[in-house]
Amino acid sequence: MNKIFIETDAARMQSLYCSSFFSCLVWSSSDNLYDTDTVHWSGSPLPFHGLVDIDNKQTYRFLGGQPANVPTLVQKKLVVQPWRTIYTFATPDNTVELVVIFSQPTAIEDPYTYITFAVRTLDQQNHNVRVYFDHGPNVGINDKGEKVYWNRTNGDNIVLTMSAYDQVPFDIRGDATRNNWGYAYLISGNTSITTGYQAFGDDLRNAFSNHQTMPSDDTQKPRHADVRAPASAFVLNLGAVSTHTISSYVVFLYDDVYSVMYFGEWQVPYWRARLNNNVTSLINEAVSQYNSNIFDITASNELVRTMLTNTGGQQYDALGSLVTRQVTGGMTKTWSTKFNRSQAYIKEISSSGNIHTVDILFPSSPYFLWLYPELLRDHLVSTLSYVNNDTGATYGLAFGPHDL
């Protein structure tokens, strides 16, 4: 199996996917995951942070650039698979290994990413390990001056929610803009070892790094995102770790509520039609189906990468894996109540804010024909309905459209 897990020297790698039109097409733009904070494809900040504490004595940073005074783990390897990105780290003294895995369900309409933390010791000793993971307020806003709001629910799952306070879907225009509507959810289904926090991000990270009591939840809300920037954070207490790997995970999910305005129709994400607009059902599904989804992701990766390798060798395999991450991260699937059907759209960067340009629809079509033929139909019907004057807008040109 290892023969199809090849490394990549891609310096700019997508990690989290939810919807191409909102803020969470998250990139790591550095060689190492801890060199700089993660960003939106346009380069605007979308920081996620990760820390690990060993034996309540030493803290290391593995994701993002903050706190800058905390030493980093050593990134040993980066592996890119079609539906998974894997980072392997070790402590500088090579006593503990941490593997961080970002997994994207193969069902493209699922707007969430699993982040799995797998730890083992390398020195034949036991070590107590805690993992910290957070995201800031930028995931749900377009401008840092906007107000944000946050809350939590505790039950079978711990759910930390963060969003823009004033939400008007489709009220902004432009190419490098981000959604400032919808809701970001950080979710843990393993409540016995996970504690959630929502407070000033610097305070949370500093408290964890210095082995101090974590701050209580911040109740000064709503407030501007750049004023004591709040964060949603989880601390996972993995306990005594040996040479046998111990792992746990969190889920990052973004519900954009409305994904696309198609000639006046506000189209919801496809999952909302399937689950009767119930985001709690989606959250429960993401947690309850973790094991089956991970099995499917693993099997699909092995199948696709074997086919790619047998066709064109390891370089073709690497290219196909990167293409999969790019294409699936750049599209969204919606439900049209007006036409009673699913539709799909793909986003081109630096395109005056347009979507579904033929510049990317055409070259991506072989990928969809190969792995998702029904999605190619959903893509084409969005454009062909426009050309056929089914949308209420008269096309009337002698040539085909360039975009929607």
Side-chain angles (χ1 to χ4, degrees), residues 25-332:
L25 184 55
V26 179
W27 294 80
S28 173
S29 57
S30 303
D31 289 337
N32 298 301
L33 194 59
Y34 45 70
D35 287 343
T36 58
D37 279 342
T38 49
V39 296
H40 183 250
W41 64 259
S42 64
S44 59
L46 275 181
F48 285 70
H49 300 99
L51 305 165
V52 61
D53 171 67
I54 311 296
D55 293 326
N56 204 36
K57 295 178 179 179
Q58 179 62 60
T59 303
Y60 297 98
R61 175 164 45 90
F62 64 86
L63 168 60
Q66 300 297 325
N69 63 337
V70 173
T72 65
L73 293 175
V74 178
Q75 184 172 308
K76 296 290 190 177
K77 185 165 58 175
L78 166 61
V79 176
V80 180
Q81 301 170 357
W83 292 279
R84 182 181 284 152
T85 304
I86 305 170
Y87 291 89
T88 301
F89 305 92
T91 54
D93 59 1
N94 220 38
T95 57
V96 175
E97 177 187 80
L98 169 66
V99 181
V100 182
I101 307 166
F102 299 90
S103 301
Q104 173 194 4
T106 59
I108 288 179
E109 62 267 20
D110 290 339
Y112 50 83
T113 295
Y114 295 114
I115 306 100
T116 303
F117 309 99
V119 184
R120 67 185 179 107
T121 63
L122 303 174
D123 61 354
Q124 309 303 312
Q125 303 295 317
N126 288 355
H127 293 281
N128 286 294
V129 178
R130 296 185 304 143
V131 175
Y132 172 97
F133 181 85
D134 82 27
H135 74 76
N138 290 11
V139 293
I141 58 175
N142 181 57
D143 183 87
K144 64 182 181 180
E146 296 179 52
K147 288 184 178 180
V148 292
Y149 190 84
W150 56 93
N151 58 51
R152 68 155 70 218
T153 58
N154 296 315
D156 292 338
N157 305 312
I158 304 173
V159 181
L160 307 180
T161 308
M162 189 168 291
S163 65
Y165 183 65
D166 300 307
Q167 301 201 17
V168 182
F170 311 117
D171 194 45
I172 56 174
R173 299 288 188 274
D175 189 45
T177 57
R178 305 193 306 268
N179 277 27
N180 57 358
W181 67 91
Y183 301 88
Y185 297 93
L186 193 59
I187 306 156
S188 173
N190 197 348
T191 58
S192 63
I193 67 167
T194 306
T195 307
Y197 303 93
Q198 291 183 297
F200 178 32
D202 286 354
D203 286 351
L204 290 170
R205 291 183 289 274
N206 288 332
F208 183 86
S209 300
N210 295 315
H211 321 291
Q212 298 171 347
T213 301
M214 297 294 286
S216 300
D217 280 4
D218 194 329
T219 59
Q220 297 179 2
K221 56 184 178 180
R223 68 169 180 256
H224 294 285
D226 57 354
V227 176
R228 291 178 56 82
S232 291
F234 278 137
V235 173
L236 294 78
N237 187 354
L238 299 179
V241 176
S242 68
T243 55
H244 300 288
T245 299
I246 293 179
S247 67
S248 190
Y249 73 97
V250 300
V251 183
F252 180 80
L253 182 154
Y254 198 90
D255 172 21
D256 53 8
V257 184
Y258 294 100
S259 298
V260 174
M261 183 169 63
Y262 181 72
F263 297 99
E265 181 192 15
W266 289 19
Q267 295 185 353
V268 300
Y270 181 78
W271 69 264
R272 279 190 165 269
R274 182 173 61 85
L275 295 177
N276 197 28
N277 284 312
N278 191 326
V279 71
T280 300
S281 295
L282 180 67
I283 291 170
N284 292 337
E285 183 177 278
V287 172
S288 65
Q289 295 183 5
Y290 171 76
N291 288 329
S292 60
N293 276 338
I294 293 299
F295 180 86
D296 175 62
I297 291 166
T298 300
S300 297
N301 279 330
E302 292 185 14
L303 174 63
V304 169
R305 298 197 73 175
T306 297
M307 289 191 292
L308 290 168
T309 301
N310 290 342
T311 299
Q314 286 196 336
Q315 287 187 334
Y316 194 63
D317 171 20
L319 179 62
S321 295
L322 289 168
V323 165
T324 300
R325 302 296 274 163
Q326 180 76 14
V327 172
T328 56
M331 65 154 291
T332 193

